[in-house]
Amino acid sequence: MKVLVAIKRVIDAYVKVRVKSDGSGVETQNVKMSMNPFCEIAVEEAVRMKEAGIASEVVVVSCGQQNSQETIRTALAMGADRGILVQSDAELQPLAIAKLLKGVVEKEQPELVLMGKQAVDNDFNQTGQMLSALLDWSQATFASKIEKSDGKLTVTREIDGGLETIEVALPAVVTADLRLNEPRYASLPNIMKAKKKPIDTMSAEDLGVDPSPRLSVVKVSEPPARQGGAKVGSVAELVEKLKNEAKVI
Amino acid sequence: MSDYRAPIDEMRFVLQEIAGLADIATLPGYEEATPDLVDAILEEAGKLAAEELAPLNQPGDIAGSQLENGVVRTPDGFAAAYRHYVDGGWNALPFDKDHGGQGLPWSLAVAVQEMWNAANMSFALCPLLNQGAVELLQAHGSPEQKERYLAKMISGQWSGTMNLTEPQAGSDVGAARTRAEPDGDRWRIRGQKIYITYGEHDMSENVIHMVLARTPDAPVGTKGLSLFLVPKLLPDAEGNPAERNDLRCVSLEHKLGIKASPTCVMSFGDSEGAIGFLIGEENRGMEYMFTMMNNARLSVGIQGVAIAERAYQQALSYARDRLQGREMGSRDPDSVPIIRHPDVRRMLMTMRAQTEAARALAYFTTASLDRAKADPDPEVRRHQSVDVLELLTPVVKAWCTDIGCEVASIGIQIHGGMGFIEETGAAQHYRDARITPIYEGTNGIQALDLIARKIMRHEGKPALRLLEEVRATQAKVGQAKGAAFSALRRGLDEAADAFEQATGWLMETFPERPQEAAAGATPYLRLTGTLAGGWLLARGALAAAEQIDDPDSDTAFLEAKIATARFYADSILPEAVAAAAAAIRGSASTLALEEDAL
Ligand SMILES: Cc1cc2nc3c(=O)[nH]c(=O)nc-3n(C[C@H](O)[C@H](O)[C@H](O)COP(=O)(O)OP(=O)(O)OC[C@H]3O[C@@H](n4cnc5c(N)ncnc54)[C@H](O)[C@@H]3O)c2cc1C
C-alpha cells in the first residue's frame, strides 16, 4: 500500500507567538519553524506501517513556501521515502490545500492519505475532511489507532467522552490525534540519508488549482491578558462573587 | 529547574562565521558538512538534548549513581536515554568512517557535544570518556585490536574509560604504580585506580578500560608507563562480551556535583590478575595518552561553555519572572521584573558575553583540529596544529571552565535566595561546573602547559602569531562604524598591548627565573583567553554588521551579537590589562612571603 502523508510547516510549538502590530496576522519572520506536531505523528505512523511491511512506499507532501523543503527533509529523516513540495508563496487556506492535495493524490495514486487532525497555527481542523469530500474517499478523523486487514482499515477515534472504533474502506483519508503514537527522534544516519532522497517541486498551476484565499482575515489580536487572582475570606463571599461579579452561577 | 533549548541560531553563527565551517566543508573528507545538513543535525540533536536528556538532569542529581554488590546503577532513565542516543547513531558523529563512524568534522561535533553537556553534563561524561578511548585506539591500536573493539565503541554499544589517576598519582601521572606482568601474548594487570569516570555502570553492554601501568623493570616516571586495554567482559571468538575480567568497582565517591556520573575506585587484579592487552609499544603509554588528551581537554572546555549557557538560560527566565522592587527613577508603585534593575542587567550581560566569548574560542580552536587533519597543504596543517590548536587547547580547557564556574555563580546570584535553594536548579549548575577546572589536568597545570610547552618551546612564536591575527582584525574593526566598533577598537588595542608586554616578560623571565614565570602562568592564561575571546567576538561583530543589511537577515539576532561584543569590549576586555599586571608584577610578590610564613 502506498501512503501519502501531508505535512505542514508551522511556528515551533515552543515559540511565544506575537501578533503583528497592524493586526494582520502573527509575526513569522525569523521565528523558529517546525513540523506541525500532529503531522509528525502522521509521518511516524506511516513509517511504522512501512517497517511493519504494510506500506510499500511513504511519500510526504507539503504545500507552502520554498522553505517547507526543510520540513520535508525532517520527515525524510524520520524515514519517509521521498518528498513533494507544492510551492506557493500565497497564503494557503484549508480548501486550497485540500484541492492541491487532491491534485497530488491523482498523480501519485496512494491508497491511504495520512495527515494531522489539525495544524497548531490556525487550529482549523478542516483540511482532511475537505480532502476526503473532494476525492469522495472514506475518512476517519482523530485516529488513536489504525489497523489494516484485507482492504479495510479499523480505526479507533478519539471522541468526546471516549473512543469509537470504525471500519473504513480503502482508499481513505485518516487524520492523526495526539495518542496515535510517539514520534521518533531522527537518527544521525537517517538525517544524512535524507539529504540524498528526492524532493519533487511543483506549482499550483501544474496541478490546475487556483489556490487564492476564499476567507479574509478581519483582525488578529492577542488574547486578553490574564487578570491576577484574588483571595476571598469565606465561602459566602466566593458564592456572592461568582453570582454577582463573575455571573457564572 | 528551567527548560533547556539549544541556542541553534547562535551555534550556527559561530560555526559559520567564526569557526569557518563552510571552508572546512571544502576539505577532503568533510564535503558532507553542507549548511543544510549542519542545520538538520543541530535541530535534531537539539530535540534529543532538550526533550530526552535535560529532563533527567535534576532527578539524576538527586538520585545519584548507586553501587550495589559491585554493580553501579545509574539514575532512572539514564540507561534508556543512552540507548536512544546510541540507536540514533549520535555517538559515531565525528569518528573516521572505517569502523562505522560518520566522519563529520569535529567542529560540528563540538556544537552537538555542547548540547549534550548543557542538557545533562553527568550523562554526557560517558560519551566524553569513550571518545578519548576511541581516539587512542584509532591512533595506536593494532589492526586486530581495532577490528575487535572499535566498531562497538564508536557506536557506543560499548563504552571506554580513561584510567590514569591513583591515590599518589594525580597531576603527576608518572607516579602511577599499577603493575603489568606478561602472561603469554597478554598481560596481567594489578593495582588500584581512583576517580574513574563511568568505570562501572549499567548503560553500555561492556566497559573498555584504557589503563596506564608499569611493566617489570620500566623506567621511573612517565617514561615508564605503558598503555593497556582492559575489558570488563573479555570478548569471545565472535567478539561478543563473555568472561568476566578480574576487575571491579570497589566504591563510588560522594561528590559536590555531577552526582549522576559514577566516579569509581577501580581495583584491578584482586585474584588472578586482570587480563590486559598492550597498546602500541611498552613505555610509550604517556605519549599515546597525549594524542587523546588534547581532544579531551577541548571537550572539557566545551563543558564550561555548556554549563554557562544552561545557567544563563535559567537565570534569564528567572529574571523575567521575578517581581521585586520598583524601577530606578520611576514613580510607578508596581513591582517590576528584576531584569529591569541595572545591576541584574549587568549580571545577565556578563553571563551572556562570557558565554559567547568562550563558545567562540572553543569552536574556533576545534576547527583548527579539522584543518590540522584535513588541509591538503602541509604548511597549513603545521600552522593550524602548532600555532592554533596546541596553543589554544590549554586556554580553552582552563579559561572556558573558569567561565563556566563564574557564570554559574552569577546565575545563582540572580536568583537571590532561591539560587541557594536546591529545588530551583541553579545551584546544581554551579556544583556541576566546579569539577571542570579540576579534572583532565587542573587549570593550574594547563597554565604551565601554555607557557612552557606551547610558548617557550616554540620561542614564543605561536603567541606572536596570535597577536598578529588580532591586529589584522583590528585593522578591519578600525574601519567599521558605530559605538560597538569604537569600543572594540579601544578594548582590543589595550588588551593586545598587554598581551605583547606579558609575552615579553614571559620570554625574559622563564629562562632565568622559572619559579616566577610559573607564578604568573595562570594570570597569563587568563589574559590570553580574555584577549582571544574579545578578538573572536570582534570578528563575529564584523560579520554581523556585514549581514545586517540583507533584508532576509535576522536583524534582532545580529544586533544582539554586536551589542554583546560591545559590552565585552567595555566591561571584560579591561580585565586583560589587570591580568597582565598580575603576571608581570604579581609573580615576584606571589613568592615574596616565605612558605613558613603562610
Ligand atoms: C569527579 C572526578 C572525575 C575524574 N575522572 C577521572 C577519570 O576518568 N580518569 C582519571 O584517570 N582521572 C580522573 N579524575 C582525576 C583528575 O584528573 C585529578 O583529580 C586531577 O588530575 C588532579 O589530580 P589530584 O586530584 O591528585 O590533585 P593534585 O595533583 O594533588 O593537585 C592539587 C593541587 O595542586 C596543584 N598542583 C599539583 N601539581 C602541580 C604542579 N606540578 N604545578 C603546579 N600546581 C600543581 C593542582 O593544580 C591542584 O590545585 C577525576 C577526578 C574527579 C574529581
Side-chain angles (χ1 to χ4, degrees):
Chain A
M1 170 170 76
K2 180 165 169 181
V3 180
L4 184 76
V5 190
I7 60 173
K8 189 174 189 189
R9 182 178 170 84
V10 298
I11 294 183
D12 188 87
Y14 289 103
V15 169
K16 192 163 176 286
V17 177
R18 281 206 313 264
V19 172
K20 281 187 187 158
S21 50
D22 63 1
S24 65
V26 299
E27 207 60 77
T28 53
Q29 221 198 333
N30 298 316
V31 170
K32 181 170 157 55
M33 306 292 278
S34 295
M35 195 190 310
N36 173 41
F38 292 108
C39 299
E40 256 185 327
I41 296 171
V43 173
E44 175 67 31
E45 193 65 16
V47 172
R48 287 189 191 185
M49 285 177 168
K50 173 128 197 244
E51 287 166 349
I54 298 166
S56 53
E57 191 186 20
V58 176
V59 183
V60 288
V61 53
S62 188
C63 308
Q65 296 178 350
Q66 171 66 26
N67 50 20
S68 293
Q69 272 218 8
E70 286 168 33
T71 313
I72 295 176
R73 288 269 176 235
T74 308
L76 297 178
M78 288 173 72
D81 297 300
R82 62 189 168 85
I84 298 171
L85 171 65
V86 181
Q87 197 178 338
S88 165
D89 288 334
E91 180 209 338
L92 294 177
Q93 292 177 347
L95 185 59
I97 297 177
K99 287 180 183 169
L100 293 170
L101 291 178
K102 174 170 182 268
V104 175
V105 166
E106 281 161 359
K107 276 189 174 219
E108 290 286 333
Q109 301 284 324
E111 257 188 289
L112 171 65
V113 177
L114 273 174
M115 42 210 293
K117 69 166 180 178
Q118 66 197 66
V120 296
D121 49 3
N122 287 317
D123 279 341
F124 276 131
N125 182 358
Q126 295 172 353
T127 313
Q129 293 87 331
M130 287 175 169
L131 175 63
S132 110
L134 290 174
L135 287 168
D136 199 17
W137 283 15
S138 24
Q139 63 165 285
T141 51
F142 314 148
S144 66
K145 191 170 173 198
I146 307 174
E147 280 170 324
K148 185 178 181 240
S149 53
D150 33 76
K152 277 190 290 218
L153 294 180
T154 307
V155 179
T156 306
R157 306 179 61 233
E158 303 222 349
I159 56 169
D160 284 347
L163 298 173
E164 176 187 62
T165 306
I166 60 169
E167 257 183 22
V168 290
L170 288 168
V173 176
V174 178
T175 70
D177 212 322
L178 195 64
R179 273 165 287 269
L180 179 58
N181 59 48
E182 212 179 299
R184 71 193 62 197
Y185 299 104
S187 73
L188 179 61
N190 284 343
I191 297 169
M192 298 183 66
K193 273 185 221 143
K195 237 187 103 171
K196 299 188 182 94
K197 293 181 180 174
I199 299 180
D200 286 338
T201 303
M202 53 190 77
S203 66
E205 292 95 84
D206 295 342
L207 296 169
V209 173
D210 168 16
S212 34
R214 303 297 165 89
L215 308 170
S216 62
V217 174
V218 181
K219 190 172 139 218
V220 177
S221 59
E222 300 267 359
R226 244 184 82 209
Q227 303 290 317
K231 272 193 187 158
V232 291
S234 66
V235 174
E237 193 188 333
L238 174 66
V239 172
E240 194 273 324
K241 279 189 188 270
L242 288 174
K243 233 186 204 140
N244 300 323
E245 269 180 36
K247 297 197 168 63
V248 290
I249 54 172
Chain B
M1 175 164 313
S2 69
D3 289 345
Y4 166 71
R5 297 274 153 249
I8 291 179
D9 290 342
E10 156 77 2
M11 289 176 161
R12 184 190 297 126
F13 181 89
V14 178
L15 283 175
Q16 296 301 352
E17 305 305 330
I18 294 174
L21 191 55
D23 278 350
I24 290 173
T26 64
L27 298 177
Y30 291 144
E31 297 89 346
E32 272 181 308
T34 52
D36 53 339
L37 183 74
V38 169
D39 277 0
I41 289 177
L42 294 179
E43 285 288 340
E44 295 298 326
K47 277 189 212 164
L48 188 65
E51 293 164 23
E52 188 103 347
L53 304 183
L56 297 175
N57 195 38
Q58 195 174 26
D61 179 57
I62 294 167
S65 274
Q66 304 293 340
L67 176 67
E68 291 160 21
N69 304 323
V71 178
V72 172
R73 239 175 279 291
T74 52
D76 280 353
F78 272 54
Y82 186 75
R83 208 161 47 240
H84 292 159
Y85 165 86
V86 169
D87 290 349
W90 292 104
N91 202 62
L93 196 150
F95 300 117
D96 292 346
K97 286 187 172 158
D98 3 352
H99 292 92
Q102 292 291 356
L104 289 165
W106 280 102
S107 26
L108 173 58
V110 97
V112 174
Q113 201 169 30
E114 182 192 321
M115 294 184 197
W116 310 145
N117 278 291
N120 193 329
M121 187 168 133
S122 279
F123 175 91
L125 271 162
C126 182
L128 193 155
L129 272 299
N130 185 33
Q131 174 185 309
V134 166
E135 278 182 86
L136 268 186
L137 211 49
Q138 262 176 351
H140 308 292
S142 69
E144 193 268 333
Q145 286 168 342
K146 291 186 192 177
E147 205 47 55
R148 207 145 237 253
Y149 296 97
L150 263 184
K152 289 195 168 106
M153 291 170 74
I154 285 178
S155 75
Q157 196 180 343
W158 294 358
S159 62
T161 68
M162 309 303 303
N163 284 251
L164 289 79
T165 308
E166 297 178 17
Q168 76 296 344
S171 298
D172 181 13
V173 181
R177 289 189 198 131
T178 296
R179 285 171 302 131
E181 267 146 25
D183 177 12
D185 57 355
R186 20 184 236 194
W187 298 73
R188 294 280 174 176
I189 313 294
R190 289 187 183 82
Q192 195 183 66
K193 293 283 177 182
I194 61 168
Y195 300 150
I196 304 310
T197 302
Y198 278 96
E200 162 67 34
H201 63 98
D202 56 1
M203 286 163 32
S204 67
E205 247 175 51
N206 199 359
V207 183
I208 309 302
H209 299 283
M210 297 288 169
V211 183
L212 282 181
R214 257 172 223 295
T215 55
D217 312 319
V220 293
T222 50
K223 293 203 160 60
L225 290 172
S226 305
L227 181 64
F228 296 89
L229 184 156
V230 190
K232 168 177 152 185
L233 300 170
L234 294 156
D236 61 18
E238 277 82 55
N240 296 315
E243 196 193 331
R244 173 86 209 207
N245 206 349
D246 180 16
L247 60 92
R248 65 202 173 96
C249 167
V250 289
S251 67
L252 288 185
E253 304 295 352
H254 295 277
K255 311 190 291 286
L256 176 67
I258 52 164
K259 294 190 182 200
S261 157
T263 305
C264 306
V265 176
M266 298 298 301
S267 186
F268 291 88
D270 285 346
S271 336
E272 66 274 20
I275 294 173
F277 306 95
L278 179 69
I279 293 183
E281 292 169 29
E282 264 179 76
N283 297 332
R284 292 182 66 185
M286 201 56 203
E287 175 194 328
Y288 301 154
M289 272 292 175
F290 266 105
T291 58
M292 81 82 191
M293 231 129 74
N294 270 333
N295 205 334
R297 286 176 174 177
L298 289 179
S299 295
V300 173
I302 286 296
Q303 294 192 311
V305 178
I307 284 284
E309 173 67 35
R310 183 85 193 253
Y312 173 66
Q313 288 190 15
Q314 169 140 8
L316 180 60
S317 111
Y318 189 80
R320 289 193 200 287
D321 279 354
R322 169 72 177 166
L323 302 177
Q324 196 70 192
R326 274 145 298 279
E327 194 156 350
M328 189 98 177
S330 153
R331 283 164 198 273
D332 191 339
D334 286 347
S335 298
V336 295
I338 57 170
I339 194 170
R340 299 267 174 80
H341 300 312
D343 190 56
V344 174
R345 279 285 256 291
R346 172 193 63 77
M347 291 194 273
L348 286 168
M349 282 307 286
T350 306
M351 294 175 88
R352 183 184 174 102
Q354 303 249 62
T355 307
E356 286 189 15
R359 178 181 291 114
L361 186 66
Y363 288 18
F364 175 81
T365 306
T366 311
S368 67
L369 189 69
D370 294 324
R371 295 195 168 95
K373 195 169 141 193
D375 200 285
D377 181 347
E379 178 44 34
V380 173
R381 287 206 301 273
R382 195 211 60 84
H383 163 66
Q384 288 292 331
S385 166
V386 174
D387 299 326
V388 188
L389 181 61
E390 288 182 23
L391 176 76
L392 294 179
T393 295
V395 184
V396 169
K397 159 58 174 71
W399 184 68
C400 294
T401 57
D402 281 346
I403 283 180
C405 293
E406 286 167 28
V407 168
S409 172
I410 301 174
I412 292 183
Q413 193 67 19
I414 288 180
H415 284 75
M418 283 305 279
F420 202 69
I421 306 299
E422 285 290 355
E423 194 188 313
T424 317
Q428 187 192 341
H429 304 321
Y430 184 56
R431 290 187 289 101
D432 285 352
R434 196 58 191 84
I435 183 61
T436 58
I438 297 171
Y439 58 20
E440 205 49 57
T442 63
N443 286 2
I445 297 291
Q446 302 302 319
L448 291 180
D449 179 54
L450 174 69
I451 63 166
R453 245 177 274 160
K454 307 304 167 62
I455 295 186
M456 293 311 297
R457 202 165 80 186
H458 300 284
E459 289 117 31
K461 282 185 211 126
L464 299 176
R465 282 292 288 261
L466 175 66
L467 196 59
E468 271 171 35
E469 298 256 9
V470 174
R471 294 208 161 123
T473 301
Q474 274 298 67
K476 291 184 199 146
V477 170
Q479 284 156 13
K481 293 198 173 41
F485 292 102
S486 46
L488 280 164
R489 189 156 53 239
R490 176 172 176 180
L492 276 178
D493 271 341
E494 288 169 359
D497 290 348
F499 182 69
E500 190 170 21
Q501 272 178 28
T503 305
W505 158 84
L506 177 66
M507 304 296 297
E508 243 174 66
T509 313
F510 193 97
E512 286 161 25
R513 297 184 304 282
Q515 290 266 358
E516 251 177 54
T522 289
Y524 182 82
L525 184 146
R526 180 93 194 174
L527 160 64
T528 313
T530 308
L531 171 69
W535 163 55
L536 294 173
L537 287 186
R539 282 179 42 172
L542 286 167
E546 222 167 82
Q547 288 173 18
I548 220 161
D549 297 328
D550 178 348
D552 286 337
S553 68
D554 187 346
T555 332
F557 172 81
L558 297 171
E559 278 168 358
K561 283 305 292 181
I562 298 173
T564 306
R566 174 183 173 185
F567 173 84
Y568 188 96
D570 284 334
S571 300
I572 296 173
L573 268 178
E575 290 174 13
V577 178
I584 300 170
R585 305 208 296 270
S587 51
S589 51
T590 299
L591 303 173
L593 186 60
E594 291 294 326
E595 189 180 318
D596 291 344
L598 273 164

